[in-house]
Amino acid sequence: MDEYKQVFDSYLVHSNPILQKVLEAIGRRKGKMMRPMLTLLVAKLLGGKTNENTIYTAATFEFFHTASLVHDDVVDESESRRGQESVNNAFGNQVAVLAGDFILANALLCAAKTKNVRLIEIVSIAAQELADGELLQLNNIRNQAVDEKVYFDIIKNKTAALFAACAEAGAMSVSSDEKAIQVMKDFGEYVGMCFQIRDDIFDYGNDAQIGKPTGNDMKEGKLTLPVIHALSSANNAEMFALARKVKARSVSQEEIGILVDFTKKNGGISYAETVMASYADKAKGLLASFPDSDVKQALCTYVDYVIDRAI
């Protein structure tokens, strides 16, 4: 991780004063580094050690992820990210879009360092899937239907695909065993599904430490798994009417509170937690064929953290 951080930080320096301010802001708000950690752990599981290509692979996906967040905040008109002011709110949409492009270019430069064309392919496919997921989500907001399958399609593309790519590329950096690489890709996808479901559950909490206001997804027109299940199981016409107001982005904060309470009372949270635990079990099940080791245990702990984390 220290080697990875050195590489990542080396790309956060530029002579352009505006860009440098943005890069410094991004450097200060580093997240949990879940994706590079996954890449490095998978590489150690398959190869016993990491190499320079693994380090640059990890940096590739973290820059890719960072660029996507900067651009997402512009699309969502977000004012904050991880408890700090978003780039678009601090510097304006024009600077945010261009800075996001620069950060994405950093991802491609790191990928080029590996001299592995397949890594470029993995990154490109992940970018397509992420864009597809975000567009599907935007289209779903305009669609009055409440559909659990669409929800899973969205999170598989917009979140799980990047975790899958991180694990696949980490495996590829140390191994040519295609079966093992595919297993790790599947592992990453299951972890990514867990990660997004946990994030969505946070939106029904009361803890400001999660880095975004509770009820924020509904404010942005998004209906996530807990409320989708509650609506489907209770079949309450009044709550469906509120859900349609969420999609129309005409819902009040008070109405969001009513829908959140309804979700909690009708098993939405517990259902989402059960689904998340199922994906976690699938992920851990994929590790069963590997011999016991500290790295294997670390990956199991990684899965536990994803589903148990408080932020």
Side-chain angles (χ1 to χ4, degrees):
M1 286 300 292
D2 287 340
E3 291 177 40
Y4 153 76
K5 290 174 188 175
Q6 288 175 10
V7 167
F8 188 85
D9 289 346
S10 71
Y11 285 82
L12 295 180
V13 179
H14 201 276
S15 58
N16 183 309
I18 297 177
L19 183 56
Q20 181 58 30
K21 287 182 180 179
V22 175
L23 295 176
E24 286 174 358
I26 288 169
R28 286 193 300 270
R29 71 176 196 195
K30 286 175 186 171
K32 296 174 284 294
M33 294 185 286
M34 299 297 292
R35 292 156 192 84
M37 196 180 300
L38 177 61
T39 299
L40 297 175
L41 283 173
V42 166
K44 288 183 75 68
L45 181 71
L46 266 61
K49 60 181 179 179
T50 58
N51 56 43
E52 186 178 65
N53 283 351
T54 310
I55 301 298
Y56 277 103
T57 296
T60 294
F61 287 106
E62 188 65 3
F63 276 123
F64 176 87
H65 173 60
T66 303
S68 73
L69 295 182
V70 173
H71 286 157
D72 283 353
D73 285 343
V74 174
V75 172
D76 295 337
E77 301 177 351
S78 299
E79 297 180 357
S80 64
R81 167 69 63 179
R82 292 169 182 161
Q84 299 183 39
E85 189 175 21
S86 62
V87 173
N88 54 298
N89 204 58
F91 300 96
N93 285 341
Q94 291 176 315
V95 171
V97 170
L98 294 170
D101 291 345
F102 180 86
I103 295 164
L104 181 59
N106 281 350
L108 297 176
L109 282 171
C110 287
K113 287 282 189 181
T114 70
K115 295 181 170 56
N116 189 329
V117 175
R118 185 173 169 185
L119 176 58
I120 302 295
E121 181 181 354
I122 292 172
V123 172
S124 300
I125 291 172
Q128 288 181 326
E129 290 177 321
L130 188 149
D132 182 29
E134 292 290 352
L135 288 168
L136 181 60
Q137 182 167 266
L138 285 174
N139 184 62
N140 188 49
I141 290 172
R142 302 185 186 102
N143 182 359
Q144 290 299 302
V146 177
D147 191 332
E148 188 173 302
K149 180 183 180 301
V150 173
Y151 167 82
F152 285 117
D153 288 343
I154 290 170
I155 70 169
K156 180 179 178 181
N157 282 355
K158 81 166 197 172
T159 301
L162 184 52
F163 277 88
C166 289
E168 178 186 8
M172 185 188 67
S173 72
V174 297
S175 175
S176 58
D177 184 339
E178 290 298 329
K179 183 178 179 181
I181 292 171
Q182 182 61 49
V183 167
M184 289 296 97
K185 180 181 180 181
D186 292 341
F187 175 85
E189 180 180 307
Y190 295 149
V191 168
M193 297 295 280
C194 291
F195 190 92
Q196 187 59 56
I197 293 171
R198 171 52 71 195
D199 252 17
D200 292 341
I201 291 172
F202 283 146
D203 207 49
Y204 298 84
N206 301 306
D207 192 344
Q209 290 183 335
I210 62 174
K212 67 175 184 178
T214 54
N216 199 53
D217 287 337
M218 290 188 192
K219 187 177 179 181
E220 293 176 356
K222 303 169 188 173
L223 297 176
T224 54
L225 186 58
V227 69
I228 290 171
H229 175 76
L231 288 166
S232 299
S233 60
N235 198 24
N236 183 309
E238 182 182 352
M239 293 302 110
F240 266 108
L242 285 184
R244 286 191 287 272
K245 290 188 73 173
V246 167
K247 287 190 168 232
R249 301 188 77 167
S250 62
V251 69
S252 69
Q253 194 62 44
E254 182 182 357
E255 289 170 325
I256 287 175
I258 292 170
L259 201 48
V260 167
D261 287 341
F262 165 80
T263 299
K264 292 176 179 178
K265 291 174 182 175
N266 286 274
I269 305 300
S270 59
Y271 174 77
E273 288 176 340
T274 298
V275 173
M276 179 178 63
S278 175
Y279 277 112
D281 288 342
K282 288 181 181 180
K284 289 182 178 180
L286 292 175
L287 300 176
S289 61
F290 293 93
D292 291 338
S293 67
D294 288 343
V295 177
K296 178 179 174 179
Q297 182 57 49
L299 279 167
C300 288
T301 303
Y302 179 98
V303 175
D304 290 338
Y305 174 76
V306 167
I307 64 174
D308 293 335
R309 63 197 168 99
I311 58 174

